[in-house]
Amino acid sequence: MHAQMLTLGPLVLPWAGLLALLAWLSGSTLHDRLLRRAGLPPGPHAWALALAVLAAARLAFVLRYAGDYAAAPWTALDIRDGGWAPIWGWAAGAVYAGVLWLRRRPARRAVAAGLAAGACLWLAGQLALRLAQPRTPITLPDWQGVALDARSVRLSDLQGRPLVVNLWASWCPPCRREMPVLRQAQQQHPQVRFLWVDQGEAPEVVLAFARAQGLPEADVLLDVRSELGQRLGHRALPTTLFFGADARLAAVRSGELSAATLAEHLARIRPPPLSGQLPKQ
C-alpha cells in the first residue's frame, strides 16, 4: 500500500478522497439512525453539512492562494486540482452544528453526533496514513535518463538544490493541461530545478510535444520503460514529486496541478540560501 494512493489493478485512488467519503458515510449513517430512534425523519442535514464542510474547505484554500487564481478566477471551481483546507471545513461543520444547537432544533444531537463520528474517522485515517509513511526518508533514486538535448542526467547527482520531478505522457489530458503551469513556475522560481520525465513514449513523440509546449530540451528526460515511476511507487499520471535540497522527498501530488496547488507544494521544499551562484541546469 502506498501511503497516499490506493492501487487496485489499473485503478489508482487517493486515500485522502476515500477518507473523506468514508467519514461522510459513517457520519450520515449515524445521523440517520439517531433520528429514526427519536421518531424523526432523516431530513437534509447530512447533505447540507457535507456541502458546508466541502465549500468552506475549498473557499479557505482559494482565499489563501487568491493571487494564483486571480488570472483565471473560474478555475477556483475546478476541484480536480486537489486544493482544500480541511481544518476550515471541519470548523464550518462545527459552526453548522452549533447553530442548530443554539436554536434547539430537534436534529441537533444527531447532527452533532454524526459530525463527531465523521471527524474522528477522518482524523484516525490521517494518523494511519502518517504512520504508514516509510520511516527511512525517500531520497533521489540513482536513476539516469537521457534528456532531449542528448545529455545524460542522473537524479542522485542533483542534490543541493530543490527539485521538482514531473512524471507525464503526451497522451494524458491532465498532463497536457498542467504543462503551462509547471513551465511558468520554472520561470518564476529559478532556484528550483524542474524536470519532466516522460513515461514510456518514443523520443520523436516527446520531442514534438516538448517543442510545442516550449519546454527546455535539457529538462525533458526520456524514460522509455517507465522505470522511474515504478521505482518510486507512482504509476498514476500525472504525478509530481518535490525533493528538497537535501535530496529528500518532501511532497507528492498525484493528479493535475493548478498554480495554487503547485505553490502549496513548492512551499514544502526550502531553497538553499541565495549566496553565490546557483547550480547550472
Side-chain angles (χ1 to χ4, degrees), residues 27-266:
S28 62
T29 299
L30 178 60
H31 164 268
D32 291 348
R33 287 183 177 179
L34 290 176
L35 286 179
R36 290 191 183 98
R37 286 183 182 179
L40 299 171
H45 293 297
W47 287 99
L49 183 59
L51 290 175
V53 170
L54 291 175
R58 180 61 176 177
L59 180 60
F61 180 85
V62 170
L63 292 176
R64 181 180 178 184
Y65 295 96
D68 295 293
Y69 288 107
W74 59 89
T75 59
L77 300 176
D78 188 355
I79 61 175
R80 292 176 299 180
D81 69 355
W84 304 94
I87 299 301
W88 288 102
W90 290 114
V95 170
Y96 185 102
V99 170
L100 292 182
W101 203 274
L102 290 174
R103 293 184 176 182
R104 304 187 64 80
R105 295 296 178 87
R108 64 186 184 277
R109 298 182 187 276
V111 170
L115 178 65
C120 287
L121 192 150
W122 184 80
L123 288 171
Q126 292 295 319
L127 177 60
L129 290 179
R130 189 173 295 273
L131 293 175
Q133 294 287 346
R135 295 185 179 181
T136 302
I138 298 175
T139 57
L140 284 170
D142 188 24
W143 177 85
Q144 180 173 297
V146 178
L148 292 180
D149 65 355
R151 290 189 293 180
S152 296
V153 177
R154 186 177 295 276
L155 293 187
S156 56
D157 292 340
L158 301 180
Q159 183 173 345
R161 180 180 180 184
L163 175 67
V164 176
V165 178
N166 180 246
L167 306 178
W168 66 283
S170 64
W171 50 260
C172 163
C175 299
R176 301 171 72 97
R177 288 194 299 266
E178 72 179 8
M179 283 295 175
V181 173
L182 289 163
R183 180 69 177 114
Q184 183 179 14
Q186 184 191 43
Q187 296 170 346
Q188 294 175 342
H189 301 278
Q191 73 275 26
V192 179
R193 179 80 183 268
F194 284 76
L195 291 179
W196 289 266
V197 183
D198 179 84
Q199 299 294 286
E201 294 187 290
E204 59 272 17
V205 174
V206 181
L207 179 60
F209 181 83
R211 287 178 174 174
Q213 292 290 327
L215 300 178
E217 294 184 8
D219 296 329
V220 180
L221 307 185
L222 299 173
D223 185 4
V224 179
R225 292 189 291 271
S226 302
E227 293 177 342
L228 183 58
Q230 295 177 16
R231 186 175 299 186
L232 292 170
H234 292 279
R235 294 188 298 171
L237 297 180
T239 290
T240 309
L241 302 103
F242 299 81
F243 293 88
D246 58 358
R248 293 187 177 187
L249 182 65
V252 178
R253 165 62 183 163
S254 293
E256 186 174 348
L257 284 163
S258 66
T261 50
L262 179 55
E264 178 189 28
H265 287 79
L266 283 175

